Structures are given as structure tokens and as C-alpha cells.
Amino acid sequence: MAKVGFSDAVLKEVNTLFERYPKKVHALLPVLHIAQRENAGWLPEGWDAYVAELCETTLNHVRGVITFYNMYKTTPVGRHHIMVCTCLPCGLCGGTEVLEHLEHRLGIKSGNVTPDGQFSLEESQCLAACDQAPLMMVNEDLQKRITLEEIDRWIDEARAKKA
Amino acid sequence: MAEETLLLLKNIRTPGYTGDLAAYQKAGGSKAWEKVLKSMKPAEVIEVLKASGLRGRGGAGFPCGMKWSFMPPPSDKPHYLVCNADESEPGTFKDHLIMLNDPHEFLEGMMIGCYAMNSHHGYIYIRGESQHAIKRVQQAIDELYKAKLLGKNILGGGFDLHLTVHPGAGAYICGEETAMLDSLEGKRGQPRSKPPFPAQSGFDACPTTVNNVETLANVPFILNQGAEAFAALGPANNAGTQCVSISGHVAKPGVYEVEMGHNLKSLIYDYAGGIRGGKKLKAVIPGGASAGILRPDEIDIPYDFDNLMKAGTMRGSGAIMVFDEDTDVVRLAERTIRFFNHESCGQCTPCREGTFWLKNMVRQFMDDAGDEALAKRMERAAFQIGGTTICAFGDAVSGPMMAFVRKFPEEFAKHYAS
């Protein structure tokens, strides 16, 4: 198991965060985000207990929070984590077709990671840019009015970069 | 395109406007904050807000001044103002437009709100997926600290104020104010039973008020131009302008600012350019996924809180979703219930179980295995969720799901088993 714990620089960042809240546990959501950022987008084994101790709360509490929110992952995500909105109105403006196309191109169903660890796919709810439907989010980058041709081009480029 | 009535989006519609503090101040920004700090008592600010008639733009339409007046007088407990920037109601994107392009406007409103309610710390709760909005608002806050408009002893007036951006982590229910407070406390976002209301016991069990981004963005105008100028816009009891998010099968989807009470049909045809591809209109969802659907012959009405309620639906967050003649309303119902089932927090049985069973029923129609009895059962199941849950989520499922079945029986009939 890899080492669990923040570097001194990140600990400093977390401590600055704690100062913004009456209690350390209030900062649990942002601290979990930082833990994911430091671990390629997910929470490997042992990090829940580490964050619990840091935020002065229980392991049970942290596990409850991790399983409640969509954005916390307990299994690895791809280097490119793709979210596709299939909610209203994206779902009726091409969103479901975008998702199907990605599933076909990547050879994985929504909720999975490609065997090479490059891509993971997630069907998502509303991403709050409905006028630009359909929407696809890759890591933190929101891609608007995405077409199937653009997706093909993007996948080819991402694969070429890796090779 | 028809002209907008620009109050909130005036800066954003100015070509070349950057949204940084210098540009905001050049356009007349920060004046209300200075005026309030130098010449007004907190109670006076609340009186102005009450007189303006501003109602909350997040969904419920609660009078903002009255909400602020519920906060108790200063005591040894800290007071908090939380800005609801979660914006996760499907179809809504107007708060993101404001946050990304003119963040200082709503931040100034928030700072004035903090002063009026004796709060020295405010939190802006932004959904975790919106890293771009989180970064943009944080950048604006950094500018305010640098300009000494935030921090300790602001402008020498003796008032201290801090603002903190808090990221969510992907849960629709955290847009509900008490779920948001739990989430801000590092918990699962599950709505609380009321009373106690947040003004008595909110964040960290202290007096707290929660306001939407667009609501707060109105505050500087009201303080600068006066409550009368604001109340003069829109019909009685529905004062001001509104930022309406229009999406779906229209030619020009986007945010449009119009007076409260502007005709709904005109919004779709004169502003959003009508139905794209010259198609006919089939249905309009007028207030986010939580609002009941309307037929084309029902949309010639003023768009505001009271008139939408009269029409048996709601204005909600001002999100108009438009669907053309090729849309399958059953699929619309399926997307809607799939969303609600996914986002139910699971506390209350009628909501947790009801959304699950409703989803299964709609899926039977999707598989062309429905019948009239199933449609009736669906309507009854939806009805029974209403009014039985801790928060308004139950009603938000109940209303629209009943409306789908009642308003479009012919669409469901297309999916009967043959």
C-alpha cells in the first residue's frame, strides 16, 4: 500500500482551510477534494481514516460522506474522467447519443475505466449549462455543444498523446 | 431579438466588460457597499429590502427582506449568511452566467446582506463540478481583500467580514437550504426538519440565512436606486426583473433578463427565437424539473411567481425548457424521474421508494408495455408522495409526474401494450 498522508505543503493548505470554519470537520468536503486531487482523482485505501483523523471526526462519518456524494471515488478513475449529462434538457438534445457513442468508442459501459487506465466514463446529472447542450466534462474542463465528430477527434488525440 | 430589461446583466451585456473589480467599479460598482457601511444601520438596510418587494430567485420566491428580518439581534453566537450557488435544478444556468462574468455584483449584495444581519462570515456554496465558477468567485474575493473591501475594519467603519467559497461534491439535494447547511458542516446533505428554521439554528447551530446568487445580485441596485425604483418593475407582489434560462429545442437558447410578469410565449418566441428548425411546439416545462409541464395552449400567460402558480405549475428557478413536436413526452417523464430517483437523499420513505417505483412504471411505458391502469397507478403514486416528506423534494417529484400523465394522456397511450 502506498504511503497515506499529505505532504507538508498540502498540510499547510489544509490548515489554512481549517481556519475558515468554526470546526475542522466542517472542512471535510474540501479536504476530501484535496485528497482526491493528490491521488489521481480517487481515494485509495487508508485515506478515509487519515482524513477522519485530520478533520477530528470518525471513520464512519467520513465513509458516510464519501458514499453520499457522487464526486468521491473509492476506485481508480481514468486519466481522462469523462462525465456526460443525460438529464433534462441535454438528454433530449443529443446527450444520450453522446454517451452511447463514447461507450462504443471506448469499449466500456458508463461507470467503468478502460483497461489502459486512460479513460473513465460516467453518466451525470445536470451540469448547469443547458443552453449549450449536449455537454461533456473531461476532468475540470466543460465541453459545450459537443458533436460526435469532435469526440472522435478528441479521443484520437488523447490516445496519440499517450503513445 | 426583443430588447432585454437590463438591471442585473447590464455589465455582462456591455461589450468588452471583464468582470474584474476595476471594471465593476468603473461601471458604478461597490458604491452601495460603501454607502451602507458609512451611512446606514443594519435595520435600515432590511427596511429598504422589505420595501423593494424582492422575492428569492432560487425557487420558492420567499420575500428576501422578511427573511433577513427573521435573524435575531446580535448575541454571543455568530451569525452567518450562506449564498446558495449550487444551481443544480435541471435547466437552470443563470447563476453561473452571473458568477462567471460579473461575480462582484452578487458578492456586493452578499456583503450588504452580511452587514444587515450582523454576520461577519459568509459562505458561498458552489457545486463541486463547477471548478471554473469556484475559481472565478475565489479570484473575485481575493480582489476584494486586496482592495480592503473585505477583511478587518472595512473602510475604517469598524465592520469585519470574511467570505469563503465552499465546494459541494455532487448532490442535487444540497441546493435545499437545510441540506446545504449540513453539507457545509461536513455531513451528508440531508434536509433537516423545520422548525427550528435556519434563522434560529442554521450553520453550526447558529442563526443563518441562505440566499440565492441572483437574489443577492439585486441588492446593490436596490440600495443605489432605491426600493421604489425596483418595486416599479414588474407586477404587484412580483417586483423586479428576472434572469430566465431558456433551453431545449429553441433557436437561441440562453439567459434573458426581462421584467417579472413578461409573457411566457413571448420569452420563447421573441427572445429565444422560437422553435428551432421551424418545428411546432409540443410542451414547455416552465420552472426547472420540479415544475409541472404545460401544453402549447397554456403558455400565453405572464411569467412570474403568482401567475405560474395560478396555472398549476411554478416559476421555480426561472428555467424554461422547450420541447418540439418530435419529443416523446414519456421519455421526458423518464429522464425526469430518473433524475429524481438518483438524487433522492433517501431519508423519507415516500420519496426514496416512490421515486424508485415511479421510475419502474415509466420504464414499462418505455418498453411499450403500459396500459391505462398503469397510467392511473402512476398518477396515484405520484400524488401520494406530495406533502409527506421532510423537504420540498417530495412535492418537486409529485407535481411534475402527475402533470405528465394528466396533460399528455395521448402520449402515454402510444406506449400501451398492443
Side-chain angles (χ1 to χ4, degrees):
Chain A
M1 200 169 82
K3 183 185 164 284
V4 173
F6 290 133
S7 67
D8 287 347
V10 178
L11 266 179
K12 213 175 140 191
E13 182 188 350
V14 170
N15 283 324
T16 321
L17 203 59
F18 284 151
E19 287 167 17
R20 310 297 296 186
Y21 298 87
K23 299 187 181 84
K24 284 184 178 176
V25 66
H26 297 158
L28 180 56
L29 265 61
V31 172
L32 284 171
H33 281 307
I34 294 173
Q36 288 207 143
R37 186 193 72 200
E38 297 296 310
N39 286 289
W42 69 292
L43 297 162
E45 203 187 327
W47 279 85
D48 45 6
Y50 173 73
V51 169
E53 201 184 324
L54 210 58
C55 293
E56 295 174 354
T57 183
T58 61
L59 176 59
N60 260 351
H61 177 102
V62 174
R63 286 198 176 149
V65 167
I66 290 172
T67 50
F68 184 84
Y69 294 96
N70 285 333
M71 288 180 75
Y72 300 129
K73 312 287 180 199
T74 50
T75 52
V77 294
R79 201 162 70 85
H80 305 282
H81 181 66
I82 308 166
M83 284 165 53
V84 180
C85 175
T86 60
C87 194
L88 300 172
C90 272
L92 287 110
C93 293
T96 41
E97 289 76 9
V98 166
L99 182 70
E100 277 165 19
H101 186 73
L102 278 161
E103 286 184 334
H104 174 71
R105 275 300 310 264
L106 299 174
I108 50 167
K109 286 277 172 204
S110 166
N112 290 287
V113 192
T114 54
D116 63 358
Q118 287 297 301
F119 303 93
S120 49
L121 189 58
E122 181 182 343
E123 186 173 7
S124 100
Q125 302 296 350
C126 187
L127 292 168
C130 320
D131 53 337
Q132 321 258 11
L135 298 169
M136 167 170 115
M137 194 173 225
V138 182
N139 299 335
E140 292 180 1
D141 177 31
L142 186 62
Q143 304 191 12
K144 300 157 179 176
R145 288 206 178 99
I146 191 92
T147 64
L148 302 188
E149 293 73 35
E150 282 167 350
I151 290 172
D152 286 342
R153 216 176 310 135
W154 175 78
I155 291 176
D156 291 342
E157 274 169 26
R159 280 188 174 146
K161 247 185 232 163
K162 186 221 159 194
Chain B
M1 187 189 93
E3 287 282 312
E4 291 183 285
T5 305
L6 293 175
L7 186 159
L8 296 178
L9 305 185
K10 201 171 158 197
N11 292 339
I12 294 176
R13 296 292 189 241
T14 308
Y17 183 74
T18 56
D20 56 29
L21 187 58
Y24 180 64
Q25 292 183 328
K26 203 176 153 202
S30 299
K31 288 213 173 77
W33 178 227
E34 286 173 29
K35 173 178 156 182
V36 163
L37 277 179
K38 286 186 175 152
S39 65
M40 290 178 83
K41 290 198 177 79
E44 290 171 343
V45 179
I46 295 181
E47 283 313 309
V48 174
L49 257 290
K50 273 187 177 171
S52 75
L54 172 64
R55 291 174 69 173
R57 303 295 196 240
F62 195 83
C64 179
M66 198 191 286
K67 202 179 205 179
W68 287 11
S69 73
F70 291 157
M71 290 288 273
S75 68
D76 54 341
K77 275 190 176 180
H79 291 187
Y80 296 103
L81 173 59
V82 177
C83 173
N84 186 341
D86 197 49
E87 187 155 71
S88 31
E89 182 69 35
T92 319
F93 40 91
K94 42 101 184 168
D95 290 342
H96 273 71
L97 179 82
I98 296 170
M99 284 191 284
L100 291 170
N101 298 290
D102 199 13
H104 284 292
E105 189 179 48
F106 88 95
L107 287 174
E108 186 180 2
M110 184 171 181
M111 286 144 68
I112 293 168
C114 285
Y115 178 80
M117 290 179 275
N118 301 293
S119 163
H120 300 286
H121 202 140
Y123 293 91
I124 300 137
Y125 188 107
I126 306 180
R127 53 187 313 187
E129 296 93 337
S130 296
Q131 280 302 319
H132 49 314
I134 291 172
K135 282 180 186 150
R136 186 71 189 85
V137 173
Q138 185 58 54
Q139 197 187 346
I141 290 174
D142 294 344
E143 281 184 298
L144 288 166
Y145 273 108
K146 221 172 149 192
K148 304 211 181 316
L149 292 168
L150 270 183
K152 288 199 164 154
N153 189 20
I154 301 165
L155 300 174
F159 186 73
D160 301 346
L161 177 61
H162 296 281
L163 294 183
T164 299
V165 176
H166 183 91
Y172 166 73
I173 193 60
C174 291
E176 196 278 343
E177 65 174 7
T178 58
M180 176 169 288
L181 297 175
D182 265 18
S183 184
L184 191 59
E185 290 175 7
K187 296 176 185 156
R188 294 161 72 97
Q190 292 182 319
R192 303 173 181 175
S193 287
K194 293 188 265 191
F197 290 92
Q200 289 120 41
S201 178
F203 176 57
D204 200 27
C206 293
T208 305
T209 290
V210 182
N211 285 133
N212 167 262
V213 172
E214 187 190 345
T215 312
L216 292 171
N218 280 292
V219 173
F221 176 90
I222 293 168
L223 269 300
N224 282 327
Q225 311 290 325
E228 298 74 27
F230 186 82
L233 294 158
N237 198 35
N238 292 270
T241 61
Q242 55 186 337
C243 294
V244 182
S245 316
I246 309 183
S247 63
H249 303 140
V250 288
K252 288 187 287 178
V255 176
Y256 298 98
E257 184 174 15
V258 295
E259 265 188 65
M260 277 283 173
H262 191 93
N263 185 281
L264 171 56
K265 196 173 180 178
S266 156
L267 269 164
I268 296 168
Y269 285 92
D270 302 336
Y271 288 82
I275 314 305
R276 72 182 185 199
K279 296 222 163 117
K280 280 194 202 127
L281 175 67
K282 180 173 272 179
V284 175
I285 298 180
S290 310
I293 196 163
L294 295 173
R295 294 183 68 100
D297 58 356
E298 295 177 301
I299 62 164
D300 197 2
I301 50 173
Y303 191 72
D304 61 34
F305 295 109
D306 294 347
N307 278 296
L308 268 285
M309 194 172 275
K310 229 185 278 168
T313 178
M314 64 173 194
R315 183 199 166 276
S317 53
I320 301 174
M321 294 184 271
V322 181
F323 299 101
D324 70 17
E325 55 186 320
D326 297 338
T327 308
D328 180 352
V329 174
V330 175
R331 199 167 127 68
L332 208 55
E334 189 265 337
R335 289 288 105 185
T336 306
I337 194 60
R338 183 183 151 277
F339 170 75
F340 283 123
N341 179 236
H342 185 266
E343 298 297 339
S344 172
C345 85
Q347 265 191 122
C348 309
T349 310
C351 173
R352 182 186 65 242
E353 301 298 316
T355 53
F356 172 79
W357 288 108
L358 278 170
K359 187 176 76 177
N360 287 355
M361 286 186 239
V362 181
R363 287 211 169 140
Q364 280 194 49
F365 282 102
M366 290 297 284
D367 295 340
D368 289 330
D371 56 30
E372 210 182 328
L374 184 63
K376 285 233 164 66
R377 201 181 313 141
M378 224 185 100
E379 192 186 336
R380 203 165 59 235
F383 173 75
Q384 284 172 347
I385 301 173
T388 58
T389 53
I390 288 176
C391 79
F393 190 108
D395 301 328
V397 181
S398 178
M401 292 314 287
M402 280 195 290
F404 285 128
V405 186
R406 280 181 187 163
K407 298 246 166 112
F408 290 92
E410 73 278 13
E411 293 275 317
F412 282 83
K414 282 185 206 160
H415 294 275
Y416 286 176
S418 48

